[in-house]
Amino acid sequence: MIKRTLKVNGVERVVIVENDTPLATVLRENLGLTSVKIGCGTGQCGSCSVLMDGKVKRTCSLKMSRVEDFTEILTTEGIGTPTQMHPIQIAWMAHGAAQCGFCTPGFIISTYGLILSNPSPTREDVRNWFQKHRNACRCTGYKQLVDATMDAAAVMRGDMKVEDLLFKIPEDGRIWGSKYPRPTAVAKVTGTLDYGADLGIKMPEGTLRCALVQAEVSHANILSIDTSEAEKMEGVFKIVTHKDIKGKNLITGLITFPTNKGDGWDRPILAEKKIFQFGDAIAIVCADTEKHAKAAAEKVVVKIEQLPEYMSAPAAMADDAIEIHPGTPNVYFEQKVAKGEDTAAIFDKADAVIEDNFYVSRQPHMPIEPDVGFAYMDDDGKLCIHSKSIGLHLHAAMIAPGMGIELENLIMVQNFAGGTFGYKFSPTMEALVGVACLATGKPVFLNYTWFQQQTYTGKRSPFFTTVRLAADSDGKLRSMETDWICDHGPYSEFGDLLTLRGAQFIGAGYDIASIRGKGRTVCTNHAWGSAFRGYGSTEVEFASEVLMDELAEKLNMDPFDLRYKNIYREGSTTPTGQTPEVLSLEEIFTQARPLYEAAKKRVAKKSTDTIKHGVGLALGVYGCGLDGPDSAGAEIELHADGTVTMYACWLDHGQGADMGVLGTAHETLRPLGLAPEQIHLVMNDTRTCPNGGPAGGSRSQVVIGNAIVATCRELLDAMRKADGKYRSYDEMVKENKALRYSGSWTSPCTECDADGQGSPFACYMYGLFMMEVAVEIATGKTSVEKATLVTDIGKINNRLVVDGQIYGGLAQGIGIALTEDYEDIIKHSTMVGAGFPYIKQIPDDMEIVYVETARPEGPHGASGVGELPLTCPHGAVINAIYNACGARVTHLPARPEKVLAAMKAKA
Ligand code: MCN
Ligand code: FES
Ligand code: FES
């Protein structure tokens, strides 16, 4: 134990702590300064940054023994408060720089340190600073952070007025389509928003801290689990194993297609007989402190019989591979696509045929915030689980039978989430904390380390895709043949749905009358496949978009012209035979053409013998919704002061669900003339909010948005008088009118059939990506210098949000193209090891052009946006590399050695 006196945010504070406790933990747990976030925990993300004696320092691995007495420490709480914000915080809000907000306090402190040392930084100075201090952000693509820093510095120098950064409501009162800052922005920029780990440490006394006993191999039979030594360890309350679970001890994917050879009940909550992947949870140690829980977890002895580990689809498909789930073949689902005439005769007669095979890798989601959650029994005897879930009602149904609890006795709540990017479409720890709470009868709290986040949550499922295209000599596409394999890891949940995406999105955006193909879902022992932004489109559009460039070369056409010739026009249908809901690709290409011509000139001018520059294109299309009829509900209540409350489950990864609800409701309720702050939000709690469905498939703005419109209209209809004016609250009460209304919406869609044909989505998102790259000839090292997206996401609800969605998605596209992977379980278990893109890997020069075509089925004309920017940006990067240096990389990521090898192969 040591005593330290620290000068924290201007006040002397005494702490008595263990000398190996990290400063971050002391600031959070002893001093309650939870703006200091623990992300990676190993010095790689900057979310725990504070100023120490004026210098930016990461505190997660700084032991208290190394912190001197009277060190001056400044945290975000000490910079500004919600009622008195600092210009940096105001600038962060004005630029929409806090999405999930988890990295925000660390960035704000870092920015403060920068401006202290350099009051007039250039954009490059800012970028260098964030790079040097390892300030990592997974949501924003960094551009808005630099914009915010530049404005904050200008205000601090006196070159700009702080008022210029404050949002002003326009005269017509409309916030739809504006840059209104999201409702959670103030709490995010002041570090006062409580995430799961912040709530966890503030749980009542007696809350048990959990540590997992996890598999250290990827495939094995379990022979025995011995907890006897561990049970004797200090502070241990109980060690929960499969024996303590009252239910089926399985998580189900719920919806399994009828032709799926598995039944979907294949993921144990706690492993009993088999280990299916590295990290599988075997036991949960519940103890008084996290330290005690972890120490005891080390003492649990698990005896295993090692089985062959099938770490990729081809390995699991080999003739001699054993069934990973005995009784279910490793290839457990097939999806065909058959559109129009048979392809064989067309290919025989085609002027040009091109074929290639492609691999899109096991991209890790890498939110800065590791997975976290807790559970308790409430006073009504219901089990309440709080987590990062982006599908509360869905997850409740997936885990309740496994835990052995009736659905009506389970309440699910979403904590504010520090990014998920789709991994939380699958339940992760919900059932673990649930069974631990049921088995101990105590509140329990489980906080993953970043290593656990990386090794034991779902990943993007790698796809092996072969595409053949047949075209006329003038470039008109005639036919397409496809074959795709989805490596879905050991757990089947949604694997069939993901495989269907191959039928829906290979070749999307182009009018191809004849298509034949087949996809397969394969069980392997690598990380289980969970949703990842772009879900299927990222995996397969890469193949068709790179092949389009190969075809253009064969036909001696410009890749832009080849694409333009084939885009959806009057009479076109999608690969599933659906008529596109709007025809905006023509306009997108028209707007993109001059930008492309300018880019071609730019790269030609810049190329030298040692660094070659190139420009590449790729078309991205994705649907908004769950396949077929997709529904959501919402509720609204009118209050005595004339304000209203919207109740909605629009789950927030960090994308801006709060803004989504507010913007959509405010626009619909405009006849009432409410100010935005007169619309209160109650969100993301199954006890208080109706089922809005999961926040996947970029569906919320469209599907929940429409439910919100319907709900608000119910209220408006009830309030409207014969003369067209609206009743006050008092008049409503006097006339005995209800004060609470609900509404819902279901998309007018049909699911795809066995041939992959149908009209699965009411609204689509469209975009043409253009990437400009520089490739070092000696090393193959590629950097993206400019990213452009010309896009149609329908009418825009909030400009800060959609800009941020797009910059952030583009950054993840650059990541998957060049560096990101989770293949080597150990090497890729850290942010740096897995190729996390820091600011210098992402260009500051990002340009977005919006073509806002109103969607007939979209609320106020909006479509979705979330996944569009990650449909095919990587295709454009890869095409740009080829344009620069002739290296054709078809298997991602295009790390330098791969680019170099491709250059050599070409030579
Ligand atoms: N929006 C808008 N105007 C439009 C369309 C959308 O202003 N025309 C806004 C919406 O109000 C919402 C946001 O854009 O705030 C995204 O809307 P939408 O595309 O409907 O997507 P969801 O709200 O359903 O969000 C999910 C989507 C998905 S599937 C993933 S994965 C994802 C994403 O959004 N993960 C994210 N964006 C993310 N952003 C962050 N910061 N973190 C994640 O984990
Ligand atoms: Fe400290 Fe990541 S650098 S939590
Ligand atoms: Fe930076 Fe989410 S806003 S990590």
Side-chain angles (χ1 to χ4, degrees):
M1 290 270 196
I2 49 173
K3 166 180 161 283
R4 283 283 181 276
T5 305
L6 306 173
K7 200 163 179 198
V8 184
N9 296 334
V11 181
E12 280 188 10
R13 310 284 300 266
V14 176
V15 290
I16 294 134
V17 291
E18 312 257 7
N19 56 5
D20 62 349
T21 307
L23 175 58
T25 308
V26 171
L27 293 170
R28 289 173 55 75
E29 300 192 14
N30 296 59
L31 300 178
L33 298 168
T34 47
S35 78
V36 180
K37 304 292 178 209
I38 299 183
C40 69
T42 54
Q44 299 187 358
C45 76
S47 65
C48 60
S49 299
V50 304
L51 280 199
M52 288 178 71
D53 293 331
K55 298 254 176 321
V56 180
K57 290 271 191 259
R58 282 156 285 176
T59 56
C60 59
S61 19
L62 181 61
K63 303 248 160 62
M64 280 308 288
S65 53
R66 290 174 45 218
V67 179
E68 289 180 11
D69 255 336
F70 302 106
T71 303
E72 284 200 30
I73 294 174
L74 187 71
T75 70
T76 295
E77 288 92 340
I79 290 185
T81 62
T83 47
Q84 200 157 23
M85 282 194 281
H86 188 276
I88 300 174
Q89 294 164 319
I90 295 170
W92 232 255
M93 285 181 58
H95 287 281
Q99 285 189 32
C100 79
F102 195 82
C103 69
T104 302
F107 266 99
I108 285 179
I109 275 293
S110 187
T111 304
Y112 192 92
L114 162 69
I115 300 173
L116 270 189
S117 64
N118 177 2
S120 302
T122 62
R123 291 187 77 89
E124 214 38 39
D125 291 340
V126 176
R127 285 164 56 79
N128 288 335
W129 181 271
F130 289 148
Q131 180 79 17
K132 177 173 143 200
H133 292 284
R134 290 246 173 115
N135 287 113
C137 176
R138 188 60 163 162
C139 298
T140 60
Y142 301 103
K143 185 175 183 307
Q144 289 161 308
L145 312 187
V146 181
D147 295 343
T149 306
M150 296 304 287
D151 278 358
V155 171
M156 288 165 74
R157 287 193 308 270
D159 294 346
M160 187 179 181
K161 287 204 220 89
V162 80
E163 292 76 48
D164 296 341
L165 289 173
L166 300 175
F167 182 84
K168 288 164 208 76
I169 302 272
E171 263 178 26
D172 65 0
R174 176 173 252 162
I175 60 163
W176 180 264
S178 75
K179 294 189 167 183
Y180 186 84
R182 65 182 70 193
T184 47
V186 173
K188 283 173 178 165
V189 302
T190 53
T192 49
L193 193 83
D194 280 329
Y195 296 80
D198 307 327
L199 291 173
I201 59 175
K202 296 171 191 170
M203 292 280 282
E205 205 180 322
T207 299
L208 298 171
R209 305 286 291 252
C210 300
L212 299 182
V213 178
Q214 291 177 276
E216 289 168 4
V217 298
S218 299
H219 197 193
N221 284 322
I222 296 178
L223 304 177
S224 64
I225 304 166
D226 180 359
T227 58
S228 52
E229 270 306 299
E231 269 156 20
K232 290 182 216 145
M233 296 281 289
E234 186 183 354
V236 171
F237 185 85
K238 183 170 176 65
I239 299 178
V240 182
T241 68
H242 65 90
K243 290 188 200 139
D244 299 294
I245 298 180
K246 303 274 185 287
K248 287 169 83 124
N249 187 24
L250 292 169
I251 293 170
T252 167
L254 280 184
I255 327 143
T256 297
F257 293 0
T259 49
N260 193 317
K261 291 179 182 147
D263 63 3
W265 290 93
D266 47 30
R267 175 145 74 106
I269 298 174
L270 285 174
E272 178 181 355
K273 298 190 179 110
K274 268 195 92 169
I275 286 161
F276 297 106
Q277 73 153 79
F278 184 92
D280 271 347
I282 300 166
I284 311 166
V285 180
C286 304
D288 58 348
T289 67
E290 191 176 274
K291 209 169 173 180
H292 287 154
K294 285 187 171 163
E298 299 275 315
K299 299 283 177 195
V300 174
V301 181
V302 183
K303 290 218 172 100
I304 59 159
E305 174 198 14
Q306 174 80 50
L307 295 170
E309 298 179 338
Y310 304 118
M311 302 305 276
S312 73
M317 292 168 86
D319 289 341
D320 62 350
I322 60 167
E323 286 176 350
I324 293 172
H325 291 281
T328 305
N330 290 348
V331 180
Y332 58 90
F333 179 71
E334 284 188 2
Q335 172 68 50
K336 280 198 210 134
V337 55
K339 177 188 175 188
E341 261 181 76
D342 193 22
T343 50
I346 305 176
F347 269 87
D348 283 348
K349 284 189 276 168
D351 295 335
V353 170
I354 190 106
E355 173 177 335
D356 210 341
N357 61 77
F358 302 90
Y359 174 74
V360 172
S361 46
R362 206 179 305 277
Q363 187 183 22
H365 302 73
M366 300 195 277
I368 311 284
E369 178 196 41
D371 209 49
V372 60
F374 49 87
Y376 55 92
M377 301 301 296
D378 73 5
D379 289 350
D380 300 329
K382 291 185 196 286
L383 174 65
C384 302
I385 299 178
H386 289 230
S387 72
K388 293 176 72 176
S389 167
I390 56 159
L392 294 175
H393 292 83
L394 172 74
H395 290 175
M398 287 173 76
I399 64 172
M403 296 191 298
I405 183 170
E406 298 301 320
L407 211 45
E408 59 268 27
N409 290 327
L410 178 60
I411 303 287
M412 304 279 293
V413 183
Q414 190 195 32
N415 293 324
F416 287 109
T420 96
F421 310 104
Y423 89 89
K424 283 301 305 180
F425 199 91
S426 295
T428 52
M429 57 151 63
E430 285 79 0
L432 294 174
V433 289
V435 296
C437 177
L438 291 171
T440 58
K442 298 261 182 194
V444 296
F445 166 44
L446 175 59
N447 197 0
Y448 282 12
T449 61
W450 208 86
F451 176 84
Q452 285 173 307
Q453 164 67 40
Q454 185 75 339
T455 55
Y456 189 45
T457 61
K459 297 286 164 283
R460 188 184 291 288
S461 296
F463 269 52
F464 302 76
T465 308
T466 302
V467 185
R468 275 181 97 205
L469 289 171
D472 292 343
S473 57
D474 65 355
K476 175 71 195 141
L477 292 174
R478 290 291 166 205
S479 190
M480 179 171 77
E481 291 180 347
T482 57
D483 180 278
W484 67 101
I485 294 168
C486 162
D487 169 347
H488 204 260
Y491 305 127
S492 66
E493 57 205 29
F494 318 121
D496 41 17
L497 185 66
L498 177 61
T499 307
L500 171 62
R501 294 285 180 264
Q504 294 168 335
F505 292 103
I506 304 179
Y510 304 117
D511 184 33
I512 310 174
S514 143
I515 304 177
R516 290 292 180 281
K518 188 165 82 173
R520 276 144 290 181
T521 326
V522 182
C523 183
T524 70
N525 294 115
H526 214 314
W528 93 78
S530 67
F532 195 140
R533 192 178 200 174
Y535 194 61
S537 67
T538 317
E539 292 83 331
V540 301
E541 289 179 11
F542 175 71
S544 43
E545 280 307 297
V546 176
L547 196 64
M548 282 298 273
D549 261 41
E550 294 186 39
L551 179 62
E553 187 180 24
K554 189 160 190 172
L555 292 168
N556 206 14
M557 282 178 84
D558 189 293
F560 188 100
D561 297 333
L562 176 66
R563 288 184 170 84
Y564 181 66
K565 189 168 190 76
N566 289 289
I567 51 176
Y568 297 154
R569 294 193 172 82
E570 208 55 52
S572 300
T573 54
T574 69
T576 73
Q578 180 176 1
T579 300
E581 86 289 24
V582 288
L583 291 174
S584 51
L585 284 172
E586 181 105 40
E587 180 59 20
I588 287 176
F589 274 71
T590 304
Q591 301 236 15
R593 189 180 284 277
L595 304 177
Y596 176 60
E597 293 304 330
K600 281 202 291 190
K601 287 197 188 115
R602 225 170 9 243
V603 296
K605 219 157 125 190
K606 283 205 259 182
S607 276
T608 64
D609 287 347
T610 49
I611 299 187
K612 297 285 181 199
H613 292 253
V615 54
L617 299 168
L619 185 57
V621 179
Y622 200 52
C624 306
L626 307 178
D627 298 56
D630 181 9
S631 305
E635 287 180 18
I636 193 166
E637 187 177 6
L638 178 67
H639 304 295
D641 60 359
T643 65
V644 297
T645 296
M646 280 299 319
Y647 300 87
C649 271
W650 180 332
L651 281 316
D652 207 344
H653 308 238
Q655 81 277 25
D658 53 341
M659 194 60 237
V661 175
L662 180 63
T664 311
H666 187 263
E667 180 66 6
T668 320
L669 295 171
R670 283 188 71 224
L672 299 183
L674 295 175
E677 59 277 13
Q678 291 177 299
I679 301 174
H680 313 291
L681 308 181
V682 173
M683 292 171 64
N684 304 337
D685 181 335
T686 61
R687 190 199 302 269
T688 47
C689 306
N691 190 351
S698 306
R699 65 184 281 284
S700 308
Q701 181 63 64
V702 172
V703 184
I704 307 177
N706 270 314
I708 289 169
V709 171
T711 306
C712 293
R713 284 186 183 154
E714 291 287 328
L715 175 68
L716 289 176
D717 288 348
M719 292 177 76
R720 200 178 299 107
K721 300 194 248 190
D723 62 0
K725 295 196 174 125
Y726 290 86
R727 291 180 178 85
S728 65
Y729 172 88
D730 291 339
E731 287 169 322
M732 293 283 282
V733 172
K734 210 157 125 199
E735 292 177 45
N736 229 356
K737 294 215 170 257
L739 298 170
R740 192 167 172 137
Y741 293 86
S742 54
S744 63
W745 188 77
T746 301
S747 57
C749 296
T750 57
E751 279 171 21
C752 288
D753 61 17
D755 285 334
Q757 300 300 286
S759 296
F761 307 109
C763 298
Y764 286 82
M765 313 167 271
Y766 305 92
L768 182 63
F769 297 90
M770 186 169 79
M771 295 284 183
E772 292 162 56
V773 304
V775 185
E776 257 177 38
I777 294 301
T779 61
K781 186 172 183 301
T782 302
S783 46
V784 176
E785 302 205 321
K786 181 172 167 73
T788 305
L789 176 65
V790 184
T791 180
D792 182 6
I793 53 165
K795 294 290 174 190
I796 291 169
N797 174 347
N798 185 274
R799 279 179 193 276
L800 290 179
V801 171
V802 297
D803 284 357
Q805 285 295 294
I806 291 174
Y807 295 135
L810 291 174
Q812 292 179 333
I814 294 168
I816 191 173
L818 298 179
T819 53
E820 290 178 28
D821 205 358
Y822 176 67
E823 200 52 38
D824 184 319
I825 288 173
I826 300 306
K827 193 168 143 199
H828 296 158
S829 65
T830 65
M831 286 174 61
V832 172
F836 186 101
Y838 289 88
I839 192 165
K840 294 298 287 269
Q841 191 184 321
I842 305 303
D844 193 32
D845 193 353
M846 295 206 258
E847 187 178 349
I848 312 170
V849 180
Y850 292 105
V851 172
E852 279 190 72
T853 315
R855 295 300 192 276
E857 293 292 345
H860 311 302
S863 189
V865 66
E867 292 167 283
L868 187 269
L870 196 46
T871 50
C872 212
H874 49 320
V877 173
I878 292 304
N879 288 336
I881 293 176
Y882 186 79
N883 181 253
C885 66
R888 175 76 68 202
V889 178
T890 52
H891 289 47
L892 296 181
R895 294 215 174 100
E897 57 279 10
K898 222 181 261 177
V899 176
L900 202 57
M903 265 192 278
K904 286 197 178 130
K906 172 91 173 179

